[in-house]
Amino acid sequence: MATEMALVKPISKFSTSSPIFSNSRYGKFTTVRMSSTSQSTTKAAVKGGKKAAKTAIKETLLTPRFYTTDFDEMEALFNTEINKNLNQSEFEALLQEFKTDYNQTHFVRNKEFKEAADKIDGPLRQIFVEFLERSCTAEFSGFLLYKELGRRLKKTNPVVAEIFSLMSRDEARHAGFLNKGLSDFNLALDLGFLTKARKYTFFKPKFIFYATYLSEKIGYWRYITIYRHLKENPEYQCYPIFKYFENWCQDENRHGDFFSALLKAQPQFLNDWKAKLWSRFFCLSVYVTMYLNDCQRTAFYEGIGLDTKEFDMHVIIETNRTTARIFPAVLDVENPEFKRRLDKMVEINEQLLAVGETSDIPLVKNLKRIPLIAALASELLATYLMPPIESGSVDFAEFEPQLVY
């Protein structure tokens, strides 16, 4: 799960505990523990194995979260005796793809990683650490969800269960690779602590399908776009993890294709007016979340030679075109009005962040936030109500290619 979903969290179970940093050490690396209400990042990492200075980032709507679902309903959906729409031959073909494990030997590090990390300093070093932390958390979130689905569906539908288990393998591999990247900056996420300490957001199965399909597909387009850009502009290749993105994004694409097959097996999630409304809602949530997140981190994209907004719009447009093959309706993201509203949301979000940085008492801050939140909600609603594009169908989705290049 390569990108994080946040604006679509209808149920939040997070506690109000304060951010934690562990004093424990793995060798010379600082172990970063993230509580259920905060993420931690380095303010300035110190070279040579010294303890890094640290600061806490408050959890917001844009922070990666962990998910759970109604596993009993999932079992019913994939029971071949109940659901006659299940195309077991298609799932068996997908299973063989996952068993092939094209990237089994791909994620192998070399000395370039540490050498490159030691050359990154100042604000860009802080941004890289945050990128690795957020990406690792998002991938690890996917690992936990897929692993549990693989376990719960083992008796009901062994083929689908095994695919989920193999996807959890991929996500664990990605998370581990990213966590190893943090070690280059003398840090490491305590993933065991995250598993126990983090609270989980509940999504109904159909929402898991919509959200995860989009997450995997948008992850594909993010990774392949960065990879192609750096291949054409090697002078911006400041850290070797990006060299792995071409094969990495194929994992994301295969995961998305699997969720496409899951949606086709549940036509009730695609063929009525409610499906159109939910499809547009999740498209909006994923696109806005990415755009606002990335616009807070322009230094990262500038550091690798990208214009943040141009990059995001390219990713959104390509993801939307891919999504239109299966979702019954999508947003008209190529309408100039869509980007204008996104940019307005960025402005409002920046004002909200500025309010949080003031020295005002909490009551005054909250009063200042009210009109800004109302303005942000108004922009979201107006964007959602833009005339949509009537798009995919179950039949058309059958022709979705296995890999988009």
Side-chain angles (χ1 to χ4, degrees), residues 67-78:
Y67 301 95
T68 187
T69 190
D70 185 334
F71 294 103
D72 291 335
E73 184 182 342
M74 278 286 191
E75 288 185 34
L77 290 173
F78 293 106

Side-chain angles (χ1 to χ4, degrees), residues 168-182:
S168 75
R169 170 205 66 195
D170 295 342
E171 300 289 306
R173 188 179 284 158
H174 300 165
F177 196 65
L178 288 158
N179 210 11
K180 282 288 188 180
L182 278 170

Side-chain angles (χ1 to χ4, degrees), residues 2-3 128 131 135 178 218-249 290 294 297 300-308 310-312 314-315 318 405:
T3 189
F128 255 86
F131 161 73
S135 300
L178 288 158
I218 207 168
Y220 167 82
W221 282 109
R222 286 173 66 85
Y223 285 155
I224 196 59
T225 302
I226 291 173
Y227 174 81
R228 288 170 175 168
H229 161 72
L230 293 177
K231 190 175 182 180
E232 293 175 3
N233 303 276
E235 67 273 20
Y236 291 107
Q237 187 75 258
C238 53
Y239 187 62
I241 199 168
F242 303 116
K243 296 178 181 179
Y244 292 74
F245 275 12
E246 183 179 30
N247 286 40
W248 192 328
C249 74
M290 184 186 75
D294 287 353
R297 296 165 178 82
F300 172 79
Y301 297 96
E302 290 171 359
I304 58 174
L306 284 168
D307 179 285
T308 306
E310 287 184 6
F311 166 73
D312 274 15
H314 170 75
V315 169
E318 295 298 341
Y405 265 103

